[in-house]
Amino acid sequence: MDRFARLVSRLLHVPMAFVSLVEEDRQFLPGTYGLPQPWAAARALPPSHALCSCVVASGRPLAVPDARADERLRTEPVIADLGVVAYAGVPLTDGDGLVLGVLCAVDHEPRAWGDGELSDLEDLAAVCSAELCLRILSAQSRSVQRVLETARTAAERARTDAQRLEREAQVGLDHAELLLRSSEELAQTSGLEDVRRRVRDLFAGAGKPSYVGLLVADKDELHRVPDPDIDRTVEREVLTLPVDAAFPSTRAMRERRAVFVPDREALVADYSPEAVDFFDRMGLTTVLCLPLWGSRALLGVLAVCWAKRHEVGVTERAALTAASGYTAQAVERALYLDDRISVARQLQEAMLTSLPLAGHVEISALYQPAAVGDMIGGDWYDAYHLPSASPGGEPGALMVTVGDITGHDMHAATVMGQVRSMLRQATLDHPPYSPAVALTALDAACSVLPVEASGTLVHARLDLADEGPGWTLTWSNAGHPPPFLRTPDGRVTTLEEHDMLLHRDLGPFLRTESRRHLPPGSTLVLHTDGLIERRGHDIDACTAQLVALLARHGDRPLDELLQRISGRQANPAPEDDVVVLALRVP
């Protein structure tokens, strides 16, 4: 009963709801939500607070926008004690139509009750009445057991009737459970595939449909969202339907109403041979197509189908329609998130550097967005050649950067773009292109300009070694996780040298730089903290695991190495952006 009260609060957006059973000298409240003390603990109200008696006496629903202004109710003590202003109540009846009590919705502010809200309240009252009937029948069954010895035949008939009514009541409970689960499950979806998966599992117990299809509207077409876990060949063969196609789902879309096809004869009579062939191959007979209404437009259609002929009663249709409303909300949110993620990924790809042809140095990069937020953030990598020492000559030294601006949202990405451009300019404006000098210039610019730069980065230059084979790495680290260097013998060294992090409030800071020789066959890995920092995981253990991975597989092709590193991030999904930049001296 408390669950019915919670569901009334969710559906009608009211702060208080309760199930009231009215007796001669009191009101018993088996289900409450938002009721103040001491009434919530007592689960009862005295006769003087019998606002629900009006509903019980009339046997009809009552909806009052403002009880304080109603001549019948304004003197009721319940208005002051419970803060009742707007009130809506629907009778609860037993199997014989006797009024047992009221399902109530209360608001502390005046409100005009909409037809849809009262309709939802009436549907819930019907299911709540079924639950009461079930409890009454349980008591009756116990009484019947006591007289079995003297009235076996009558008891058998009574038990049969009780079982039938119990099945009917259970169906009602299944529908109530469907609504409760819909409000909870579909509120947590993140994309269309997730919605499709949850919808399939959600409807498995309500009327046991054989198939639930989700179709999303796009201009003049309906696109079927295939089940990501069950490979149905027929379903994937008919993924797109023109809105003018003679299918039940497209008819529901065109006419903007629920469409019910009771059996194959009705399908043959009213729809195209293609529709009949599709449902025959899917093994479906009865179809109920419900339009999915979004906040601004019709989003698509939910198709609930049964293999055998199935009668859809008023209560079941009401429950399925209400559940389709939750589905529509989930679809609208999923479409918005999918579109936002698509735009974010395009923006992130546009902001990330295309890797240059680095001559004798192999280079590869990996970017993984966080699993939360805007799927775009402040992590970045950069790589570019310095100007050639002579006009028309070979490209100059290679500059590489990996950085992390605080946050993983659109603001962090914006600041990242500014910092990346400023660091490039600072590098190219200060020959001989010292990483430390460039970072010092960036500090100075950030302390003056209105750039909310906060984060860490490693800025490095790779030159051919002056003597002997290999290259020379010169780098400056602004509080960033240290890079890893794997030498050809399989040893992995952590390049620990670093200065303080980048922050505009710290002011200009004279950066330092370090040098290291990279012998042929060396692999250099620069990364952001999302690679080794995970909630609930020890960072030292994650770092040791990464070092061991580089020691074992660091001589593999860089793309394969990055795939192995990426595989470590698949489970669980990263909570922070991940950037990895790998370079190898052949």
Side-chain angles (χ1 to χ4, degrees):
M1 291 298 154
D2 283 342
R3 297 177 78 184
F4 283 111
R6 289 199 303 273
L7 187 56
V8 169
S9 175
R10 290 181 191 161
L11 280 178
L12 273 64
H13 305 290
V14 294
M16 185 189 305
F18 52 88
V19 179
S20 171
L21 300 182
V22 179
E23 302 175 354
E24 288 184 3
D25 57 348
R26 67 166 184 164
Q27 288 184 78
F28 173 57
L29 307 179
T32 68
Y33 180 83
L35 196 69
Q37 297 294 356
W39 321 112
R43 288 190 178 266
L45 293 173
S48 60
H49 290 61
L51 181 63
C52 297
S53 298
C54 298
V55 180
V56 175
S58 67
R60 295 195 300 265
L62 175 64
V64 180
D66 191 339
R68 300 170 303 182
D70 193 296
E71 292 292 334
R72 301 166 296 174
L73 308 173
R74 63 183 183 180
T75 60
E76 288 282 342
V78 72
I79 295 176
D81 290 348
L82 300 185
V84 176
V85 176
Y87 171 86
V90 176
L92 300 173
T93 61
D94 65 6
D96 298 323
L98 178 66
V99 178
L100 304 176
V102 185
L103 183 62
C104 307
V106 175
D107 203 333
H108 301 317
E109 301 291 339
R111 70 185 284 172
W113 301 97
D115 292 341
E117 294 175 319
L118 295 179
S119 177
D120 289 344
L121 190 59
E122 290 175 351
D123 290 341
L124 288 173
V127 181
C128 188
S129 296
E131 168 66 9
L132 292 174
C133 287
L134 177 60
R135 298 187 182 193
I136 292 171
L137 289 169
S138 298
Q140 291 175 345
S141 296
R142 290 192 297 270
S143 176
V144 168
Q145 291 295 329
R146 288 192 295 267
V147 296
L148 271 175
E149 290 134 358
T150 58
R152 182 174 300 275
T153 302
E156 287 294 330
R157 289 197 299 266
R159 186 165 60 234
T160 300
D161 291 341
Q163 290 172 348
R164 175 180 56 80
L165 291 173
E166 186 173 351
R167 286 194 299 270
E168 294 174 357
Q170 186 59 50
V171 170
L173 289 175
D174 286 344
H175 296 150
E177 180 69 17
L178 171 65
L179 295 182
L180 292 169
R181 291 180 58 209
S182 297
S183 64
E184 296 170 356
E185 290 289 328
L186 294 176
Q188 304 172 19
T189 54
S190 57
L192 276 179
E193 279 198 356
D194 190 21
V195 174
R196 177 69 180 86
R197 182 181 291 108
R198 290 179 186 251
V199 163
R200 177 200 66 212
D201 297 339
L202 187 65
F203 285 84
K208 296 182 174 55
S210 306
Y211 171 78
V212 180
L214 179 63
L215 298 97
V216 177
D218 181 14
K219 297 181 180 178
D220 295 328
E221 295 179 331
L222 274 178
H223 297 285
R224 191 182 309 278
V225 181
D227 194 312
D229 302 323
I230 302 175
D231 187 10
R232 292 185 177 92
T233 304
V234 180
E235 181 184 42
R236 295 180 182 273
E237 287 177 357
V238 191
L239 288 179
T240 301
L241 291 171
V243 173
D244 58 1
F247 273 68
S249 54
T250 53
R251 183 176 182 181
M253 185 72 185
R254 289 193 307 271
E255 299 180 6
R256 298 171 175 260
R257 66 175 181 86
V259 170
F260 180 63
V261 183
D263 49 37
R264 189 178 187 279
E265 288 73 17
L267 186 69
V268 172
D270 297 332
Y271 299 96
S272 67
E274 292 79 11
V276 176
D277 179 66
F278 174 78
F279 285 101
D280 282 349
R281 294 169 66 194
M282 290 285 288
L284 304 173
T285 299
T286 301
V287 183
L288 175 62
C289 292
L290 300 166
L292 299 175
W293 287 98
S295 58
R296 298 181 180 179
L298 190 57
L299 303 174
V301 175
L302 185 71
V304 186
C305 312
W306 292 264
K308 298 181 179 179
R309 183 184 175 94
H310 181 78
E311 297 295 334
V312 181
V314 175
T315 302
E316 182 175 10
R317 180 176 289 213
L320 293 174
T321 300
S324 72
Y326 287 112
T327 305
Q329 294 176 16
V331 168
E332 187 167 40
R333 182 171 57 254
L335 291 173
Y336 170 76
L337 290 174
D338 287 348
D339 181 65
R340 181 164 182 163
I341 289 170
S342 176
V343 171
R345 285 176 175 167
Q346 293 177 34
L347 177 59
Q348 186 77 55
E349 289 173 0
M351 297 181 74
L352 292 174
T353 304
S354 297
L355 295 176
L357 297 175
H360 298 293
V361 176
E362 299 176 32
I363 183 169
S364 186
L366 163 73
Y367 173 81
Q368 285 185 329
V372 296
D374 291 332
M375 299 293 286
I376 184 171
D379 289 30
W380 88 96
Y381 62 82
D382 200 1
Y384 51 91
H385 283 291
L386 293 172
S388 175
S390 59
E394 291 290 328
L398 181 67
M399 299 299 302
V400 294
T401 310
V402 167
D404 180 3
I405 296 299
T406 304
H408 41 80
D409 53 20
M410 198 67 72
H411 175 71
T414 303
V415 175
M416 176 269 283
Q418 293 175 295
V419 170
R420 186 187 68 163
S421 298
M422 291 165 63
L423 182 58
R424 279 187 165 198
Q425 186 70 41
T427 301
L428 296 174
D429 279 353
H430 293 85
Y433 313 114
S434 159
V437 171
L439 277 180
T440 301
L442 176 64
D443 279 330
C446 289
S447 67
V448 175
L449 299 175
V451 179
E452 299 178 11
S454 172
T456 64
L457 63 93
V458 173
H459 190 45
R461 188 183 76 239
L462 282 88
D463 304 90
L464 278 170
D466 293 334
E467 296 182 3
W471 290 62
T472 299
L473 171 70
T474 306
W475 80 95
S476 184
N477 187 328
H480 197 76
F484 296 108
L485 175 63
R486 182 191 186 277
T487 49
D489 58 5
R491 297 178 60 185
V492 177
T493 304
T494 303
L495 306 183
E496 298 282 1
E497 297 84 351
H498 69 277
D499 297 324
M500 71 172 63
L501 56 79
L502 176 69
H503 197 290
R504 59 171 299 182
D505 293 339
L506 297 178
F509 178 77
L510 187 60
R511 300 284 177 177
T512 63
E513 62 187 25
S514 305
R515 287 182 177 81
R516 184 69 61 94
H517 177 67
L518 307 184
S522 299
T523 300
L524 177 68
V525 177
L526 299 89
H527 63 92
T528 56
D529 56 5
L531 186 67
I532 55 175
E533 289 187 3
R534 291 296 179 87
R535 185 179 303 174
H537 293 73
D538 181 71
I539 187 172
D540 292 334
C542 291
T543 301
Q545 183 182 3
L546 180 59
V547 168
L549 185 149
L550 290 174
R552 288 196 309 272
H553 306 293
D555 58 346
R556 295 181 179 271
L558 291 186
D559 289 344
E560 181 180 341
L561 177 62
L562 291 186
Q563 287 179 1
R564 289 181 178 272
I565 293 175
S566 173
R568 295 179 63 251
Q569 309 305 315
N571 188 17
E575 298 174 354
D576 195 5
D577 306 321
V578 175
V579 160
V580 185
L581 184 68
L583 303 100
R584 175 169 295 146
V585 179

